[in-house]
Short mmCIF file of all heavy atoms in Angstrom, two decimals:
data_model
loop_
_atom_site.label_atom_id
_atom_site.label_comp_id
_atom_site.label_asym_id
_atom_site.label_seq_id
_atom_site.Cartn_x
_atom_site.Cartn_y
_atom_site.Cartn_z
N MET A 1 202.03 102.73 142.86
CA MET A 1 202.01 104.13 142.50
C MET A 1 200.54 104.56 142.36
O MET A 1 199.74 103.88 141.75
CB MET A 1 202.77 104.34 141.18
CG MET A 1 202.68 105.75 140.70
SD MET A 1 203.64 106.22 139.22
CE MET A 1 204.04 104.75 138.39
N SER A 2 200.22 105.71 142.92
CA SER A 2 198.85 106.21 142.82
C SER A 2 198.64 106.90 141.47
O SER A 2 199.58 107.29 140.79
CB SER A 2 198.58 107.20 143.95
OG SER A 2 199.38 108.34 143.81
N LYS A 3 197.38 107.06 141.12
CA LYS A 3 197.04 107.72 139.87
C LYS A 3 197.41 109.19 139.92
O LYS A 3 197.31 109.83 140.96
CB LYS A 3 195.54 107.64 139.62
CG LYS A 3 195.05 106.37 139.06
CD LYS A 3 193.57 106.54 138.71
CE LYS A 3 193.03 105.31 138.05
NZ LYS A 3 191.60 105.50 137.72
N THR A 4 197.80 109.72 138.80
CA THR A 4 197.98 111.16 138.66
C THR A 4 196.61 111.75 138.36
O THR A 4 195.87 111.22 137.54
CB THR A 4 198.96 111.48 137.52
OG1 THR A 4 200.22 110.89 137.84
CG2 THR A 4 199.13 112.97 137.34
N LYS A 5 196.28 112.84 139.04
CA LYS A 5 194.98 113.48 138.84
C LYS A 5 195.18 114.85 138.21
O LYS A 5 196.08 115.60 138.58
CB LYS A 5 194.26 113.68 140.17
CG LYS A 5 193.85 112.42 140.84
CD LYS A 5 193.11 112.74 142.14
CE LYS A 5 192.81 111.47 142.90
NZ LYS A 5 192.16 111.78 144.19
N LEU A 6 194.33 115.16 137.25
CA LEU A 6 194.24 116.50 136.67
C LEU A 6 192.87 117.04 137.04
O LEU A 6 191.85 116.41 136.74
CB LEU A 6 194.39 116.47 135.16
CG LEU A 6 195.74 116.03 134.63
CD1 LEU A 6 195.69 115.85 133.12
CD2 LEU A 6 196.80 117.02 135.00
N ILE A 7 192.84 118.17 137.72
CA ILE A 7 191.59 118.78 138.16
C ILE A 7 191.43 120.09 137.41
O ILE A 7 192.29 120.98 137.50
CB ILE A 7 191.60 119.01 139.68
CG1 ILE A 7 191.82 117.67 140.39
CG2 ILE A 7 190.32 119.69 140.14
CD1 ILE A 7 192.45 117.79 141.75
N ILE A 8 190.35 120.22 136.65
CA ILE A 8 190.09 121.42 135.89
C ILE A 8 189.34 122.39 136.81
O ILE A 8 188.16 122.21 137.08
CB ILE A 8 189.26 121.14 134.61
CG1 ILE A 8 189.83 119.96 133.82
CG2 ILE A 8 189.15 122.40 133.76
CD1 ILE A 8 191.27 120.11 133.38
N ASN A 9 190.03 123.38 137.32
CA ASN A 9 189.44 124.32 138.26
C ASN A 9 188.50 125.29 137.56
O ASN A 9 188.77 125.72 136.44
CB ASN A 9 190.53 125.10 139.00
CG ASN A 9 191.30 124.23 139.96
OD1 ASN A 9 190.73 123.43 140.69
ND2 ASN A 9 192.61 124.38 139.97
N ARG A 10 187.43 125.64 138.23
CA ARG A 10 186.48 126.63 137.71
C ARG A 10 187.19 127.98 137.62
O ARG A 10 187.81 128.44 138.57
CB ARG A 10 185.28 126.74 138.66
CG ARG A 10 184.27 127.77 138.25
CD ARG A 10 183.08 127.79 139.17
NE ARG A 10 182.33 126.55 139.00
CZ ARG A 10 181.89 125.81 140.00
NH1 ARG A 10 182.11 126.14 141.24
NH2 ARG A 10 181.22 124.70 139.75
N ASN A 11 187.12 128.59 136.44
CA ASN A 11 187.71 129.91 136.20
C ASN A 11 189.19 129.97 136.58
O ASN A 11 189.67 131.00 137.07
CB ASN A 11 186.94 131.00 136.96
CG ASN A 11 185.51 131.07 136.54
OD1 ASN A 11 185.17 130.82 135.39
ND2 ASN A 11 184.64 131.40 137.46
N GLY A 12 189.92 128.90 136.37
CA GLY A 12 191.32 128.91 136.77
C GLY A 12 192.16 127.84 136.11
O GLY A 12 191.90 127.41 134.99
N SER A 13 193.15 127.41 136.84
CA SER A 13 194.19 126.52 136.33
C SER A 13 193.73 125.07 136.22
O SER A 13 192.63 124.70 136.63
CB SER A 13 195.39 126.57 137.28
OG SER A 13 195.01 126.03 138.54
N ILE A 14 194.63 124.27 135.69
CA ILE A 14 194.51 122.82 135.76
C ILE A 14 195.46 122.40 136.87
O ILE A 14 196.67 122.62 136.78
CB ILE A 14 194.93 122.14 134.44
CG1 ILE A 14 194.04 122.60 133.30
CG2 ILE A 14 194.93 120.63 134.59
CD1 ILE A 14 194.50 122.14 131.94
N LYS A 15 194.91 121.81 137.92
CA LYS A 15 195.74 121.34 139.02
C LYS A 15 196.15 119.91 138.72
O LYS A 15 195.33 119.08 138.37
CB LYS A 15 194.98 121.40 140.35
CG LYS A 15 195.82 120.99 141.53
CD LYS A 15 195.06 121.14 142.83
CE LYS A 15 195.94 120.77 144.00
NZ LYS A 15 195.20 120.86 145.28
N ILE A 16 197.44 119.64 138.86
CA ILE A 16 197.96 118.29 138.66
C ILE A 16 198.50 117.80 140.00
O ILE A 16 199.21 118.53 140.70
CB ILE A 16 199.02 118.24 137.53
CG1 ILE A 16 199.50 116.83 137.28
CG2 ILE A 16 200.17 119.19 137.78
CD1 ILE A 16 200.35 116.66 136.04
N GLU A 17 198.11 116.58 140.37
CA GLU A 17 198.52 115.98 141.64
C GLU A 17 199.01 114.57 141.40
O GLU A 17 198.45 113.85 140.56
CB GLU A 17 197.34 115.89 142.61
CG GLU A 17 196.76 117.18 143.04
CD GLU A 17 195.58 116.98 143.99
OE1 GLU A 17 194.98 115.88 144.01
OE2 GLU A 17 195.24 117.94 144.69
N GLY A 18 200.01 114.15 142.14
CA GLY A 18 200.48 112.77 142.07
C GLY A 18 201.93 112.69 141.67
O GLY A 18 202.72 113.59 141.91
N ASP A 19 202.27 111.58 141.04
CA ASP A 19 203.63 111.33 140.57
C ASP A 19 203.67 111.65 139.09
O ASP A 19 203.04 110.96 138.28
CB ASP A 19 203.98 109.86 140.82
CG ASP A 19 205.40 109.52 140.43
OD1 ASP A 19 206.25 110.44 140.42
OD2 ASP A 19 205.67 108.35 140.12
N PHE A 20 204.34 112.73 138.72
CA PHE A 20 204.34 113.17 137.32
C PHE A 20 205.65 113.88 137.00
O PHE A 20 206.39 114.29 137.89
CB PHE A 20 203.16 114.12 137.05
CG PHE A 20 203.16 115.34 137.93
CD1 PHE A 20 203.85 116.49 137.57
CD2 PHE A 20 202.46 115.35 139.13
CE1 PHE A 20 203.86 117.61 138.39
CE2 PHE A 20 202.46 116.47 139.95
CZ PHE A 20 203.16 117.59 139.57
N GLU A 21 205.90 114.00 135.71
CA GLU A 21 206.96 114.88 135.22
C GLU A 21 206.37 115.64 134.05
O GLU A 21 205.43 115.19 133.41
CB GLU A 21 208.23 114.12 134.83
CG GLU A 21 208.11 113.22 133.66
CD GLU A 21 209.43 112.51 133.33
OE1 GLU A 21 210.41 112.63 134.07
OE2 GLU A 21 209.47 111.83 132.30
N ILE A 22 206.91 116.82 133.81
CA ILE A 22 206.42 117.67 132.73
C ILE A 22 207.59 117.96 131.80
O ILE A 22 208.67 118.33 132.26
CB ILE A 22 205.82 118.99 133.29
CG1 ILE A 22 204.66 118.65 134.22
CG2 ILE A 22 205.38 119.90 132.16
CD1 ILE A 22 204.08 119.86 134.93
N MET A 23 207.35 117.76 130.50
CA MET A 23 208.39 117.96 129.49
C MET A 23 207.97 119.02 128.49
O MET A 23 206.79 119.19 128.22
CB MET A 23 208.64 116.66 128.74
CG MET A 23 209.25 115.58 129.58
SD MET A 23 209.50 114.09 128.60
CE MET A 23 208.09 113.17 129.09
N ASP A 24 208.96 119.71 127.92
CA ASP A 24 208.67 120.64 126.84
C ASP A 24 208.58 119.87 125.52
O ASP A 24 208.70 118.64 125.51
CB ASP A 24 209.70 121.78 126.78
CG ASP A 24 211.10 121.33 126.39
OD1 ASP A 24 211.30 120.19 125.92
OD2 ASP A 24 212.03 122.15 126.54
N PHE A 25 208.36 120.57 124.43
CA PHE A 25 208.15 119.92 123.14
C PHE A 25 209.37 119.15 122.64
O PHE A 25 209.26 118.28 121.79
CB PHE A 25 207.70 120.94 122.08
CG PHE A 25 208.77 121.92 121.68
CD1 PHE A 25 209.51 121.73 120.54
CD2 PHE A 25 209.02 123.03 122.46
CE1 PHE A 25 210.49 122.63 120.17
CE2 PHE A 25 210.00 123.95 122.11
CZ PHE A 25 210.74 123.75 120.96
N GLU A 26 210.54 119.45 123.20
CA GLU A 26 211.76 118.73 122.81
C GLU A 26 212.06 117.56 123.73
O GLU A 26 213.06 116.88 123.55
CB GLU A 26 212.94 119.69 122.80
CG GLU A 26 212.84 120.77 121.72
CD GLU A 26 214.00 121.74 121.75
OE1 GLU A 26 214.62 121.92 122.82
OE2 GLU A 26 214.27 122.32 120.68
N GLY A 27 211.22 117.33 124.74
CA GLY A 27 211.43 116.24 125.67
C GLY A 27 212.27 116.61 126.88
O GLY A 27 212.59 115.76 127.70
N LYS A 28 212.66 117.88 127.00
CA LYS A 28 213.43 118.35 128.15
C LYS A 28 212.50 118.46 129.35
O LYS A 28 211.43 119.06 129.27
CB LYS A 28 214.07 119.70 127.84
CG LYS A 28 214.97 120.21 128.92
CD LYS A 28 215.62 121.53 128.52
CE LYS A 28 216.37 122.11 129.70
NZ LYS A 28 216.86 123.46 129.40
N VAL A 29 212.93 117.91 130.49
CA VAL A 29 212.10 117.85 131.69
C VAL A 29 212.25 119.13 132.51
O VAL A 29 213.35 119.61 132.74
CB VAL A 29 212.49 116.62 132.54
CG1 VAL A 29 211.70 116.57 133.83
CG2 VAL A 29 212.28 115.34 131.74
N TYR A 30 211.10 119.68 132.94
CA TYR A 30 211.10 120.83 133.84
C TYR A 30 211.55 120.37 135.22
O TYR A 30 211.15 119.30 135.68
CB TYR A 30 209.69 121.42 133.97
CG TYR A 30 209.22 122.21 132.78
CD1 TYR A 30 208.57 121.57 131.72
CD2 TYR A 30 209.40 123.59 132.72
CE1 TYR A 30 208.12 122.29 130.62
CE2 TYR A 30 208.95 124.31 131.62
CZ TYR A 30 208.32 123.65 130.58
OH TYR A 30 207.87 124.37 129.51
N GLY A 31 212.35 121.17 135.90
CA GLY A 31 212.77 120.88 137.27
C GLY A 31 211.68 121.31 138.24
O GLY A 31 211.48 122.50 138.45
N LEU A 32 210.97 120.36 138.80
CA LEU A 32 209.82 120.66 139.65
C LEU A 32 210.17 120.66 141.14
O LEU A 32 209.30 120.86 141.98
CB LEU A 32 208.69 119.66 139.37
CG LEU A 32 208.23 119.62 137.91
CD1 LEU A 32 207.15 118.56 137.74
CD2 LEU A 32 207.74 120.99 137.44
N GLU A 33 211.41 120.41 141.47
CA GLU A 33 211.90 120.48 142.84
C GLU A 33 211.06 119.68 143.83
O GLU A 33 210.75 120.14 144.93
CB GLU A 33 212.01 121.95 143.29
CG GLU A 33 212.89 122.82 142.41
CD GLU A 33 214.32 122.30 142.28
OE1 GLU A 33 214.87 121.78 143.26
OE2 GLU A 33 214.87 122.41 141.17
N GLY A 34 210.67 118.47 143.43
CA GLY A 34 209.97 117.57 144.33
C GLY A 34 208.49 117.82 144.51
O GLY A 34 207.84 117.15 145.30
N ARG A 35 207.92 118.76 143.77
CA ARG A 35 206.49 119.05 143.92
C ARG A 35 205.65 117.85 143.49
O ARG A 35 205.94 117.19 142.50
CB ARG A 35 206.10 120.26 143.08
CG ARG A 35 206.61 121.57 143.65
CD ARG A 35 206.32 122.72 142.67
NE ARG A 35 206.71 124.01 143.19
CZ ARG A 35 207.94 124.50 143.19
NH1 ARG A 35 208.94 123.76 142.69
NH2 ARG A 35 208.19 125.68 143.70
N THR A 36 204.58 117.61 144.24
CA THR A 36 203.62 116.55 143.91
C THR A 36 202.26 117.16 143.55
O THR A 36 201.31 116.43 143.30
CB THR A 36 203.45 115.56 145.07
OG1 THR A 36 203.04 116.27 146.22
CG2 THR A 36 204.77 114.83 145.34
N ALA A 37 202.18 118.48 143.51
CA ALA A 37 200.97 119.19 143.08
C ALA A 37 201.37 120.56 142.59
O ALA A 37 202.26 121.20 143.15
CB ALA A 37 199.97 119.31 144.22
N LEU A 38 200.75 121.01 141.51
CA LEU A 38 200.95 122.37 141.01
C LEU A 38 199.86 122.72 140.02
O LEU A 38 199.09 121.86 139.61
CB LEU A 38 202.35 122.56 140.40
CG LEU A 38 202.86 121.65 139.30
CD1 LEU A 38 202.24 121.99 137.96
CD2 LEU A 38 204.35 121.79 139.19
N GLY A 39 199.78 123.98 139.65
CA GLY A 39 198.78 124.45 138.71
C GLY A 39 199.38 124.75 137.35
O GLY A 39 200.44 125.37 137.25
N LEU A 40 198.71 124.32 136.30
CA LEU A 40 199.11 124.61 134.93
C LEU A 40 198.17 125.67 134.37
O LEU A 40 196.95 125.59 134.55
CB LEU A 40 199.03 123.35 134.06
CG LEU A 40 199.97 122.21 134.46
CD1 LEU A 40 199.67 120.97 133.63
CD2 LEU A 40 201.42 122.62 134.33
N CYS A 41 198.73 126.65 133.67
CA CYS A 41 197.95 127.74 133.10
C CYS A 41 197.06 127.24 131.97
O CYS A 41 197.50 126.46 131.13
CB CYS A 41 198.90 128.82 132.56
SG CYS A 41 198.06 130.20 131.76
N ARG A 42 195.82 127.70 131.94
CA ARG A 42 194.97 127.42 130.79
C ARG A 42 194.31 128.69 130.26
O ARG A 42 193.55 128.65 129.31
CB ARG A 42 193.93 126.34 131.09
CG ARG A 42 192.87 126.69 132.06
CD ARG A 42 191.97 125.46 132.27
NE ARG A 42 190.90 125.78 133.17
CZ ARG A 42 189.63 125.88 132.81
NH1 ARG A 42 189.26 125.63 131.58
NH2 ARG A 42 188.72 126.20 133.71
N CYS A 43 194.63 129.84 130.86
CA CYS A 43 194.05 131.11 130.40
C CYS A 43 194.96 131.85 129.43
O CYS A 43 194.53 132.73 128.71
CB CYS A 43 193.72 132.01 131.59
SG CYS A 43 195.18 132.71 132.40
N GLY A 44 196.27 131.52 129.45
CA GLY A 44 197.23 132.19 128.59
C GLY A 44 197.78 133.48 129.15
O GLY A 44 198.59 134.15 128.51
N LEU A 45 197.39 133.86 130.38
CA LEU A 45 197.81 135.14 130.95
C LEU A 45 199.02 135.04 131.87
O LEU A 45 199.61 136.06 132.22
CB LEU A 45 196.64 135.77 131.72
CG LEU A 45 195.39 136.07 130.89
CD1 LEU A 45 194.25 136.50 131.80
CD2 LEU A 45 195.68 137.12 129.85
N SER A 46 199.42 133.85 132.28
CA SER A 46 200.52 133.68 133.22
C SER A 46 201.84 134.16 132.63
O SER A 46 202.13 133.94 131.46
CB SER A 46 200.65 132.20 133.60
OG SER A 46 201.76 132.00 134.45
N SER A 47 202.64 134.80 133.45
CA SER A 47 203.99 135.17 133.02
C SER A 47 204.97 134.05 133.31
O SER A 47 206.17 134.20 133.07
CB SER A 47 204.42 136.47 133.69
OG SER A 47 204.45 136.30 135.09
N ASN A 48 204.48 132.94 133.83
CA ASN A 48 205.31 131.80 134.20
C ASN A 48 204.82 130.53 133.49
O ASN A 48 204.86 129.45 134.05
CB ASN A 48 205.25 131.62 135.73
CG ASN A 48 206.35 130.73 136.24
OD1 ASN A 48 207.43 130.68 135.69
ND2 ASN A 48 206.06 130.02 137.30
N LYS A 49 204.31 130.67 132.25
CA LYS A 49 203.78 129.53 131.51
C LYS A 49 204.83 128.43 131.38
O LYS A 49 205.99 128.76 131.23
CB LYS A 49 203.33 129.97 130.11
CG LYS A 49 202.08 130.80 130.09
CD LYS A 49 201.68 131.02 128.66
CE LYS A 49 201.26 132.37 128.27
NZ LYS A 49 201.88 133.55 128.67
N PRO A 50 204.49 127.19 131.47
CA PRO A 50 203.14 126.65 131.46
C PRO A 50 202.49 126.62 132.84
O PRO A 50 201.40 126.07 133.00
CB PRO A 50 203.34 125.23 130.93
CG PRO A 50 204.65 124.82 131.50
CD PRO A 50 205.48 126.10 131.45
N PHE A 51 203.12 127.20 133.84
CA PHE A 51 202.60 127.15 135.20
C PHE A 51 201.71 128.35 135.50
O PHE A 51 201.92 129.43 134.99
CB PHE A 51 203.77 127.06 136.19
CG PHE A 51 204.69 125.93 135.87
CD1 PHE A 51 205.92 126.16 135.28
CD2 PHE A 51 204.31 124.62 136.11
CE1 PHE A 51 206.76 125.11 134.95
CE2 PHE A 51 205.14 123.56 135.77
CZ PHE A 51 206.36 123.81 135.21
N CYS A 52 200.73 128.12 136.35
CA CYS A 52 199.78 129.17 136.73
C CYS A 52 200.43 130.10 137.76
O CYS A 52 201.06 129.63 138.71
CB CYS A 52 198.53 128.54 137.32
SG CYS A 52 197.32 129.72 137.91
N ASP A 53 200.27 131.40 137.57
CA ASP A 53 200.73 132.37 138.57
C ASP A 53 199.58 133.20 139.14
O ASP A 53 199.80 134.20 139.82
CB ASP A 53 201.82 133.28 137.99
CG ASP A 53 201.32 134.22 136.91
OD1 ASP A 53 200.11 134.22 136.60
OD2 ASP A 53 202.15 134.97 136.36
N GLY A 54 198.35 132.81 138.84
CA GLY A 54 197.18 133.50 139.37
C GLY A 54 196.72 134.68 138.54
O GLY A 54 195.78 135.38 138.92
N SER A 55 197.35 134.92 137.39
CA SER A 55 196.99 136.07 136.55
C SER A 55 195.57 136.00 136.01
O SER A 55 195.01 137.00 135.60
CB SER A 55 197.95 136.19 135.36
OG SER A 55 199.24 136.53 135.80
N HIS A 56 194.96 134.81 136.03
CA HIS A 56 193.61 134.62 135.50
C HIS A 56 192.54 135.29 136.34
O HIS A 56 191.44 135.53 135.85
CB HIS A 56 193.30 133.11 135.42
CG HIS A 56 193.32 132.44 136.75
ND1 HIS A 56 194.47 131.91 137.28
CD2 HIS A 56 192.35 132.26 137.68
CE1 HIS A 56 194.21 131.41 138.47
NE2 HIS A 56 192.92 131.61 138.75
N ARG A 57 192.83 135.63 137.57
CA ARG A 57 191.80 136.17 138.46
C ARG A 57 191.10 137.36 137.82
O ARG A 57 191.74 138.32 137.42
CB ARG A 57 192.40 136.55 139.80
CG ARG A 57 192.71 135.34 140.64
CD ARG A 57 193.18 135.74 142.04
NE ARG A 57 193.50 134.56 142.82
CZ ARG A 57 194.64 133.90 142.78
NH1 ARG A 57 195.59 134.31 141.97
NH2 ARG A 57 194.84 132.85 143.52
N ASN A 58 189.79 137.25 137.73
CA ASN A 58 188.91 138.29 137.16
C ASN A 58 189.12 138.53 135.67
O ASN A 58 188.63 139.50 135.13
CB ASN A 58 189.05 139.61 137.93
CG ASN A 58 188.73 139.45 139.39
OD1 ASN A 58 187.76 138.78 139.76
ND2 ASN A 58 189.55 140.04 140.24
N ASN A 59 189.89 137.67 135.00
CA ASN A 59 190.16 137.84 133.57
C ASN A 59 189.87 136.58 132.75
O ASN A 59 190.14 136.56 131.57
CB ASN A 59 191.63 138.22 133.34
CG ASN A 59 191.96 139.58 133.87
OD1 ASN A 59 191.28 140.55 133.59
ND2 ASN A 59 193.00 139.65 134.68
N PHE A 60 189.35 135.54 133.38
CA PHE A 60 189.17 134.27 132.69
C PHE A 60 187.95 133.57 133.27
O PHE A 60 187.85 133.41 134.48
CB PHE A 60 190.41 133.39 132.88
CG PHE A 60 190.32 132.04 132.21
CD1 PHE A 60 190.44 131.92 130.84
CD2 PHE A 60 190.16 130.89 132.96
CE1 PHE A 60 190.38 130.67 130.23
CE2 PHE A 60 190.11 129.64 132.36
CZ PHE A 60 190.21 129.53 130.99
N GLU A 61 187.03 133.19 132.41
CA GLU A 61 185.84 132.50 132.88
C GLU A 61 185.63 131.22 132.08
O GLU A 61 185.62 131.24 130.86
CB GLU A 61 184.60 133.39 132.73
CG GLU A 61 184.61 134.57 133.65
CD GLU A 61 183.32 135.38 133.57
OE1 GLU A 61 182.29 134.83 133.16
OE2 GLU A 61 183.39 136.57 133.92
N HIS A 62 185.51 130.13 132.81
CA HIS A 62 185.16 128.85 132.18
C HIS A 62 184.63 127.94 133.28
O HIS A 62 185.35 127.58 134.20
CB HIS A 62 186.36 128.20 131.50
CG HIS A 62 185.99 126.90 130.86
ND1 HIS A 62 186.28 125.68 131.42
CD2 HIS A 62 185.31 126.64 129.72
CE1 HIS A 62 185.81 124.72 130.65
NE2 HIS A 62 185.21 125.28 129.61
N GLU A 63 183.36 127.62 133.18
CA GLU A 63 182.73 126.70 134.13
C GLU A 63 183.01 125.28 133.66
O GLU A 63 182.33 124.78 132.78
CB GLU A 63 181.23 126.97 134.20
CG GLU A 63 180.88 128.33 134.76
CD GLU A 63 181.23 128.48 136.23
OE1 GLU A 63 181.06 127.51 137.00
OE2 GLU A 63 181.70 129.55 136.60
N ALA A 64 184.01 124.67 134.22
CA ALA A 64 184.39 123.32 133.81
C ALA A 64 183.44 122.30 134.43
O ALA A 64 183.33 122.21 135.64
CB ALA A 64 185.82 123.04 134.24
N GLU A 65 182.76 121.55 133.58
CA GLU A 65 181.90 120.46 134.03
C GLU A 65 182.24 119.22 133.21
O GLU A 65 182.37 119.30 131.99
CB GLU A 65 180.43 120.82 133.84
CG GLU A 65 179.98 121.92 134.77
CD GLU A 65 178.49 122.17 134.69
OE1 GLU A 65 177.74 121.24 134.31
OE2 GLU A 65 178.08 123.30 135.00
N ALA A 66 182.36 118.10 133.89
CA ALA A 66 182.73 116.85 133.23
C ALA A 66 181.65 116.40 132.24
O ALA A 66 180.47 116.62 132.46
CB ALA A 66 182.97 115.75 134.26
N PHE A 67 182.10 115.80 131.15
CA PHE A 67 181.19 115.21 130.15
C PHE A 67 181.91 114.04 129.49
O PHE A 67 183.13 113.90 129.61
CB PHE A 67 180.75 116.25 129.10
CG PHE A 67 181.87 116.86 128.32
CD1 PHE A 67 182.29 116.28 127.12
CD2 PHE A 67 182.52 117.99 128.77
CE1 PHE A 67 183.33 116.83 126.38
CE2 PHE A 67 183.56 118.55 128.04
CZ PHE A 67 183.97 117.98 126.84
N ASP A 68 181.16 113.22 128.83
CA ASP A 68 181.73 112.06 128.13
C ASP A 68 182.07 112.44 126.69
O ASP A 68 181.24 113.03 125.99
CB ASP A 68 180.74 110.89 128.11
CG ASP A 68 180.49 110.34 129.51
OD1 ASP A 68 181.39 110.43 130.35
OD2 ASP A 68 179.38 109.82 129.74
N LEU A 69 183.26 112.08 126.26
CA LEU A 69 183.65 112.25 124.87
C LEU A 69 182.96 111.19 124.02
O LEU A 69 182.63 110.11 124.53
CB LEU A 69 185.16 112.12 124.71
CG LEU A 69 186.01 113.22 125.34
CD1 LEU A 69 187.49 112.84 125.25
CD2 LEU A 69 185.75 114.54 124.66
N PRO A 70 182.77 111.45 122.74
CA PRO A 70 182.20 110.40 121.88
C PRO A 70 183.23 109.28 121.71
O PRO A 70 184.42 109.48 121.92
CB PRO A 70 181.95 111.13 120.55
CG PRO A 70 182.81 112.33 120.57
CD PRO A 70 183.01 112.69 122.02
N PRO A 71 182.77 108.10 121.33
CA PRO A 71 183.71 106.98 121.13
C PRO A 71 184.80 107.35 120.12
O PRO A 71 184.55 108.13 119.20
CB PRO A 71 182.83 105.86 120.59
CG PRO A 71 181.44 106.21 121.00
CD PRO A 71 181.39 107.72 121.03
N MET A 72 185.98 106.79 120.33
CA MET A 72 187.08 107.02 119.38
C MET A 72 186.74 106.39 118.05
O MET A 72 186.15 105.31 117.99
CB MET A 72 188.38 106.42 119.93
CG MET A 72 188.91 107.17 121.11
SD MET A 72 190.42 106.45 121.81
CE MET A 72 191.49 106.30 120.41
N LYS A 73 187.14 107.06 116.98
CA LYS A 73 186.93 106.53 115.63
C LYS A 73 187.98 105.47 115.34
O LYS A 73 189.15 105.65 115.68
CB LYS A 73 187.00 107.64 114.59
CG LYS A 73 185.88 108.64 114.73
CD LYS A 73 186.00 109.71 113.68
CE LYS A 73 184.88 110.73 113.85
NZ LYS A 73 184.96 111.79 112.85
N THR A 74 187.58 104.40 114.71
CA THR A 74 188.54 103.37 114.32
C THR A 74 188.99 103.66 112.90
O THR A 74 188.25 104.17 112.08
CB THR A 74 187.90 101.97 114.41
OG1 THR A 74 186.75 101.94 113.58
CG2 THR A 74 187.54 101.64 115.84
N LYS A 75 190.23 103.31 112.63
CA LYS A 75 190.81 103.56 111.30
C LYS A 75 190.52 102.44 110.37
O LYS A 75 190.37 101.33 110.65
CB LYS A 75 192.31 103.81 111.40
CG LYS A 75 192.61 105.08 112.12
CD LYS A 75 194.10 105.32 112.14
CE LYS A 75 194.38 106.63 112.86
NZ LYS A 75 195.77 106.97 112.84
#
């Protein structure tokens, strides 16, 4: 099985690619109809949340650049 990739798009969605399933807070699985790639909303403007419908165009700005998180704290 290949890795699932999450791509943080500039001024847009989070693209997810690979073998994945998406569940709501109760564990119910969304019917993705065989899709192996789709966009998840991160602007809050989509009328089809959690999926992106393109509503962010000209209304959402975020220059996503990768960075390293600090080490995890041990308990």
Side-chain angles (χ1 to χ4, degrees):
M1 175 175 19
S2 65
K3 279 187 177 180
T4 299
K5 293 181 186 177
L6 294 172
I7 301 154
I8 312 302
N9 290 317
R10 177 177 292 133
N11 300 327
S13 65
I14 299 172
K15 183 177 182 182
I16 183 169
E17 296 179 340
D19 183 25
F20 58 87
E21 67 179 6
I22 300 175
M23 293 180 260
D24 67 13
F25 70 98
E26 294 178 335
K28 184 178 172 187
V29 177
Y30 286 88
L32 303 177
E33 303 303 322
R35 287 173 176 80
T36 57
L38 54 77
L40 297 173
C41 178
R42 68 182 182 111
C43 72
L45 300 172
S46 176
S47 61
N48 196 31
K49 288 186 224 41
F51 306 105
C52 177
D53 68 2
S55 293
H56 62 272
R57 286 186 181 83
N58 302 317
N59 293 309
F60 179 74
E61 292 184 23
H62 181 257
E63 295 293 322
E65 291 186 25
F67 60 91
D68 294 330
L69 292 173
M72 290 178 53
K73 294 180 181 180
T74 57
K75 293 182 179 184

